Every structure is written in structure tokens, then in C-alpha cells.
Amino acid sequence: PGWTSAVAAAANPSSPAPHIFAVAERAWRSATSAGADVAIIVNGESGAGKTEACRQVLRYVSRCSAECRVAANAAASTAPGAGTGAKREEAVSRLGAAVPDTACLLEAFGNARTVRNDNSSRFGKLTCLRVARSGASGVVAGCRIKTLLLERSRVATHALGERSFHIFYWLLEAKGLDPASFTMLNAATEASAEEGGASAAAAANADASKLAAVEAALSALGFSADDIAGVWSTLLGLLEHGNVRFAAADQGGDQGGSVVDESAPLERAAAALGIEAGLLETALTQRTHRAAAGRGSIHSIPLAAWEAAEARDALTRHLYQHVFDFLVARLNAHLDPPAKGGEEARSLMLLDI
């Protein structure tokens, strides 16, 4: 009932503006009836509701697409009235589920708590819907997501009172691990202690319940059990990687250099990431230089302890970016099948900045 009344209000030209469904309705009509490419830009300060606005636009468009698909199926049926209700629910379920599942994943891996917003998007997103003609209206024939400017610095450090990306806390709570055990998350832990035990416990309970939703979304979007396990192992490896500490090497002379202060975090990180601990230590404590002239000889330059720590943080940020890009690429492969021959389609784009 709430959805029906909201859609009716949006479709009414006399309804007071602005209305997020009214904006979505105009964009949908432009793409389907007028045959125009359309772009909706959603911007505003942190906490203004950009993420929720984009979610509701996509929800509305998915519903319009499902309604059109049901109508087309009913018109093509030899018995239009038979099974129409079941077909309608199936279409709404199939098309409607993809959008919130996608939003769920991107928010888990790309959103974080800040001092102004508990669910702040820390990246930009362009959602490109391919709208194909179908009867008097159209259907969403594909969806492609482009992301930009992921705030990957947040993986290694963040301000007091803020948190890293949601997925780390949701994963740790589900695994029964304490975020305070991981250096990358310590700033948030200090802030939580200041807030009081009750609020911290409530946040922990929310974290535990949300990982199950993320796993369900991953499965629904084509990720295998091995894919999901690999993502979790990589994230745990990054957290262990952040715990690696370095000390000055006792080499004598002026060579400097550093060594891993304690081997246990390094070994756990290497095991979770699927690499040899020795190779990881070498990559963190030495810089390789290839001479441009002559025979192109290769030299290994030892790094000081502070340089090794910077190399550790840089590698952590780089690997998390790859995890994020992997997820987006797999989403696009699942949601954007090849266009059919002769398909007449328009683009309905949604930019969240």
C-alpha cells in the first residue's frame, strides 16, 4: 500500500515537487516514450540522502520495467488471464532483486561511517541502464556500473570517531573476532569505547546480521561459494597485513634496512592471501631497482622501518582496490548481457557523486 500510494502520487502531475519517484517517472518516460538518452545527477553534502535517493530511483525504474514485462507476457499468452498474477510476481522479484542486491554489495565495500553520516558513500558511482523498447513502454535489458574515486586511504587509516569500510566490521563480528585486535580499525575502536558499552553492543549486533545479507546478495548475483570464501580470506589477510610491524635491521655500517618485528601476523596474512611469507616480507622490506642503462641489472635496496610501514599500507590499499574492482566487474558481467540483434535501446544513467 505504501508503495502504491507513493507511485500514484509521483505519477500525478499536480503532486508537489520535488519527489524522487516523479523524477524517476520523467526519466523513464523520456527513455521509453520519447526515445531519448537520460541522465540523473544526484549530489549534495554528506548525509543529504544521495545513497537512498539513488536506491529509490532504481527501485522505481525496476518496478516500471517489471510491469511492462508482465504486460508483454500477458499479451503474448494464448490465455492472457491465466497465471498473470504469478508471472507478475516472478518478474517483479527477478528484476527488483538485482538492484537492492547490487546496492547492498557496493555499500558494504564502499561505504563507511563518518562523523556526519553512518552510511557515507566513499566513492562515486555511475549506473548505466540499457532500456529496450517493449510494446508501448520499455524494459531494463542490462545494467552496467562504473565506479570512481574510491577512498582507499580509509583502508589503512581513518579519523577518530569514524570507521573503515563496513564490510570489515560485519565480517569480524560474524567470525567472532574483535576489531580492537587489528591496527587498521583501532581508531574506530577508541571512539566506540568513548560512546559507551550499550551503543557499541548495538553496533556489533547490527554488524553481525548484515554479513548474511551480503552473502545472500553475492550468491544471487552469481558468485560461487569459492568466490565468496576467497573474498573473505582476502579481507582477513588485509587486516592481518595491517598488524605487521617492522624494526631496524642489525646490519652494521650505514646500510640501514628493516626486518619484520613479529612473524605471526606476517604468516597469517600470507596464508590468507595465498602467498609465501618470505616473498611477502621481501616485498615489504626491500625496493627493487632496475638500471635503465647497460645490461639492465637489478638491485635490491633495503627499506628503513618507516619506509616498510608505508609500503605495507600502500599494498593494503592497492589490494583492497582490486577486491572492489573485481566485485564491480563480476556485477557487470551478471547484469549486462550482450544486446540482442536489432535491439533498439536507450541509456538511463544515474550519477551519484
Side-chain angles (χ1 to χ4, degrees):
W3 168 266
T4 303
S5 60
V7 171
N12 183 357
S14 63
S15 60
H19 193 297
I20 195 64
F21 288 160
V23 174
E25 173 68 16
R26 289 196 296 270
W28 179 254
R29 287 182 180 273
S30 296
T32 56
S33 300
D37 293 330
V38 187
I40 301 174
I41 300 176
V42 183
N43 64 358
E45 63 182 10
S46 180
K50 298 184 297 294
T51 298
E52 183 62 23
C54 290
R55 186 187 295 116
Q56 294 302 329
V57 168
L58 293 173
R59 181 187 180 202
Y60 185 91
V61 168
S62 295
R63 185 76 179 202
C64 291
S65 175
E67 294 286 354
C68 179
R69 192 181 298 274
V70 168
N73 290 341
S77 174
T78 56
T84 300
K87 289 181 179 180
R88 179 179 187 279
E89 291 305 319
E90 180 183 356
V92 170
S93 176
R94 182 178 63 254
L95 295 175
V99 171
D101 283 345
T102 301
C104 172
L105 289 185
L106 293 179
E107 288 180 27
F109 287 85
N111 287 26
R113 187 181 77 182
T114 66
V115 293
R116 300 185 63 183
N117 186 357
D118 285 346
N119 187 36
S120 177
S121 296
R122 312 314 299 168
F123 67 105
K125 178 177 65 174
L126 175 65
T127 304
C128 303
L129 301 177
R130 191 172 79 246
V131 181
R133 290 284 299 175
S134 177
S137 184
V139 295
V140 175
C143 173
R144 177 161 290 272
I145 298 168
K146 298 180 181 179
T147 60
L148 64 155
L149 301 177
L150 176 68
E151 189 187 31
R152 56 184 184 177
S153 61
R154 184 172 291 269
V155 177
T157 184
H158 49 276
L160 185 67
E162 299 191 350
R163 303 213 308 183
S164 186
F165 295 107
H166 293 324
I167 191 62
F168 288 114
Y169 305 92
W170 299 355
L171 178 60
L172 291 178
E173 190 62 32
K175 300 288 185 183
L177 300 174
D178 184 5
S181 302
F182 300 95
T183 304
M184 285 166 41
L185 310 179
N186 276 351
T189 302
E190 294 169 7
S192 296
E194 294 175 1
E195 292 170 1
S199 60
N205 290 334
D207 291 342
S209 64
K210 289 180 179 178
L211 187 73
V214 174
E215 289 185 332
L218 285 166
S219 298
L221 290 167
F223 290 81
S224 68
D226 288 342
D227 291 334
I228 298 173
V231 172
W232 298 158
S233 179
T234 301
L235 295 183
L236 291 172
L238 294 182
L239 289 170
E240 292 288 359
H241 189 245
N243 283 349
V244 177
R245 292 290 176 268
F246 304 93
D250 186 13
Q251 296 181 340
D254 298 326
Q255 293 184 352
S258 60
V259 295
V260 171
D261 191 35
E262 183 181 350
S263 62
L266 177 76
E267 292 171 355
R268 290 193 295 267
L273 295 172
I275 58 178
E276 295 181 12
L279 292 177
L280 179 58
E281 181 175 10
T282 299
L284 295 176
T285 57
Q286 297 181 22
R287 176 167 59 89
T288 301
H289 178 265
R290 182 185 298 272
R295 299 181 179 178
S297 58
I298 300 176
H299 302 278
S300 294
I301 303 173
L303 299 178
W306 68 269
E307 293 175 312
E310 287 191 348
R312 173 204 62 208
D313 291 346
L315 180 58
T316 301
R317 295 190 295 266
H318 183 71
L319 290 176
Y320 189 80
Q321 179 75 65
H322 273 281
V323 171
F324 191 78
D325 291 343
F326 164 75
L327 293 172
V328 173
R330 289 291 299 271
L331 289 178
N332 286 335
H334 184 80
L335 297 172
D336 191 26
K340 296 180 180 179
E343 178 183 83
E344 180 184 353
R346 295 297 180 184
S347 294
L348 196 163
M349 295 169 285
L350 182 62
L351 177 62
D352 177 5
I353 54 174

